[in-house]
């Protein structure tokens, strides 16, 4: 199913408090739309990513990998004002769209990074520092030879595990059964510290944007089954 087009935010909207860029070359196919062109005013990602360096306080930090249009961050940062939320999105126009959503909603506890989440989580997030990692509806990369591009893979699972505090959560939802089963199997094998997957329930939705993410909304509205789990680091 193709993604619906998104509107670019008004150039007058100030995103400088809500958008960082991570200037690192990304693989060709993922990079479409990631050119930041002449938009140099956005700050660079700090060398170390913590609540202190990004938000200037010490509240628990939750990171979402692949935020798309930013529905999760917008809703969750309102529901849980005591935590900080940082979204990382590799396609620049989506990162900007999500940052615009957060700026318009006046969120001070949620920001975006435009860039590749994998090196950021592996290299810039201190061990044992995160409250949660969220990955919702990652790109499936159906072809076998492309599977190594999946954002939930052996390397990223190790990074999530290292970055999470003890008791910290990793949420993984997808509508691709093969991705779901392969991930559950892989985690059991390489990351026993995550224990067993804990099933998560869908929430009743009371209005059109009352879903965990846009892709959850799309799947539910099209009666496509969704597989939802959470892990808690031991
Ligand atoms: C299928 S979309 C799902 C978006 C959103 N999570 C949702 O559920 O509506 C997957 C998103 O992950 C992003 N993505 C893929 N690889 C990424 C990476 N290495 N770092 C950050 N974002 C990535 C894609 O650009 C895309 O926006």
């Amino acid at each position: 199913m193709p993604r619906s087009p998104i509107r670019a935010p008004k150039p007058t909207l100030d995103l400088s408090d809500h958008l960082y860029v991570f200037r690192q070359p990304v693989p060709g196919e993922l990079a479409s739309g990631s050119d930041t062109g002449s938009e140099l005013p956005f700050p660079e990602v700090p060398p170390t990513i913590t609540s202190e360096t990004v938000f200037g306080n010490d509240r628990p930090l939750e990171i979402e990998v692949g935020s798309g249009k930013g529905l999760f961050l917008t809703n969750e940062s309102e529901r849980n004002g005591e935590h900080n939320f940082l979204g990382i999105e590799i396609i620049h126009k989506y990162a900007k769209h999500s940052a615009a959503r957060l700026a318009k909603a006046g969120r001070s506890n949620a920001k975006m990074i435009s860039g590749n989440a994998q090196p950021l989580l592996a290299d810039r997030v201190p061990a044992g520092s995160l409250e949660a990692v969220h990955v919702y509806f990652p790109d499936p990369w159906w072809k076998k030879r492309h599977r190594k591009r999946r954002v939930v893979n052996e390397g990223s699972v190790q990074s999530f595990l290292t970055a999470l505090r003890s008791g910290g959560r990793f949420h993984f939802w997808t509508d691709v059964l093969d991705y779901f089963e392969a991930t559950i199997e892989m985690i059991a094998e390489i990351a026993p510290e995550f224990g067993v997957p804990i099933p998560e329930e869908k929430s009743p939705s009371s209005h059109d944007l009352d879903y965990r993410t846009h892709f959850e909304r799309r799947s539910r509205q099209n009666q496509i089954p969704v597989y939802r789990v959470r892990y808690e680091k031991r």
Side-chain angles (χ1 to χ4, degrees):
M1 230 182 286
R3 294 176 82 166
S4 51
I6 50 165
R7 250 180 280 140
K10 288 202 176 105
T12 49
L13 185 65
D14 181 5
L15 301 182
S16 57
D17 270 350
H18 289 91
L19 183 61
Y20 288 99
V21 293
F22 176 44
R23 293 180 206 288
Q24 197 221 28
V26 292
E29 281 184 63
L30 286 174
S32 75
S34 70
D35 178 18
T36 56
S38 57
E39 295 174 328
L40 292 176
F42 302 124
E44 281 280 350
V45 182
T48 304
I49 295 174
T50 62
S51 266
E52 197 59 57
T53 61
V54 176
F55 295 94
N57 60 44
D58 63 358
R59 293 181 180 169
L61 178 61
E62 307 200 19
I63 286 187
E64 184 190 23
V65 173
S67 304
K69 295 191 207 166
L71 186 59
F72 168 72
L73 291 175
T74 312
N75 287 343
E76 202 61 19
S77 58
E78 182 177 38
R79 246 192 299 266
N80 190 352
E82 295 307 305
H83 286 194
N84 293 321
F85 294 86
L86 183 61
I88 311 179
E89 170 53 58
I90 203 166
I91 297 183
H92 183 63
K93 68 182 175 190
Y94 283 101
K96 222 166 112 177
H97 179 89
S98 297
R101 246 194 154 101
L102 299 171
K104 280 195 245 167
R107 294 285 186 278
S108 58
N109 63 330
K111 299 188 188 207
M112 285 300 304
I113 294 175
S114 170
N116 184 355
Q118 310 218 33
L120 288 171
L121 271 147
D123 303 335
R124 298 207 186 193
V125 178
S129 67
L130 292 185
E131 180 68 23
V133 173
H134 302 262
V135 186
Y136 298 119
F137 302 85
D139 298 312
W141 294 109
W142 295 105
K143 289 186 185 156
K144 217 165 191 168
R145 68 176 190 280
H146 290 158
R147 298 246 164 109
K148 55 181 178 298
R149 296 181 187 168
R150 285 181 169 177
V151 89
V152 181
N153 55 47
E154 292 195 4
S156 67
V157 163
Q158 291 293 1
S159 301
F160 302 162
L161 186 63
T162 304
L164 285 166
R165 70 167 175 83
S166 157
R169 294 165 283 127
F170 166 42
H171 298 262
F172 172 60
W173 294 15
T174 178
D175 55 8
V176 180
L177 182 58
D178 158 74
Y179 201 163
F180 180 73
E181 289 179 338
T183 301
I184 301 291
E185 214 171 283
M186 180 256 288
I187 291 179
E189 234 169 72
I190 69 155
E193 301 91 326
F194 267 138
V196 292
I198 301 162
E200 296 202 276
E201 295 303 319
K202 72 175 175 200
S203 310
S205 120
S206 61
H207 58 79
D208 193 43
L209 287 178
D210 191 14
Y211 293 93
R212 182 67 65 113
T213 69
H214 276 100
F215 269 67
E216 196 212 14
R217 172 172 172 260
R218 190 175 82 149
S219 296
R220 281 173 60 177
Q221 289 181 347
N222 290 287
Q223 280 77 51
I224 296 169
V226 174
Y227 311 97
R228 305 170 179 83
V229 282
R230 168 178 92 243
Y231 288 91
E232 291 177 2
K233 181 177 166 180
R234 289 176 180 155

